Amino acid sequence: MKIVVLDGYTLNPGDLSWAGLESSGECVIHDRTPLDDADEIIRRIGTTEIVSIG
């Protein structure tokens, strides 16, 4: 399973571990994703099964 976090800094500014999420599947965590850039959002999501926007 592929998991993408689009705004990881909102969920974890550096004081928490992503290990629990990473143990669930392949994770890609982006610190920030500009919400006004639809092309970039679509590119980052791709064929991901789970997406978190923060």
Side-chain angles (χ1 to χ4, degrees), residues 1 4 6-7 9 13-16 18 20 23 27 30 32-33 36-37 41 45-47 49-53:
M1 173 175 9
V4 170
L6 295 177
D7 196 8
Y9 186 80
D15 58 343
L16 302 173
W18 291 108
S23 70
C27 289
H30 300 279
R32 291 181 168 47
T33 300
D36 60 349
D37 189 347
I41 292 169
I45 292 173
T47 60
E49 291 136 334
I50 297 176
V51 176
S52 172
I53 58 171

Side-chain angles (χ1 to χ4, degrees), residues 3-5 11 17-29 50 52:
I3 304 164
V4 170
V5 177
L11 298 172
S17 171
W18 291 108
L21 188 62
E22 292 169 338
S23 70
S24 298
E26 176 190 351
C27 289
V28 178
I29 301 171
I50 297 176
S52 172

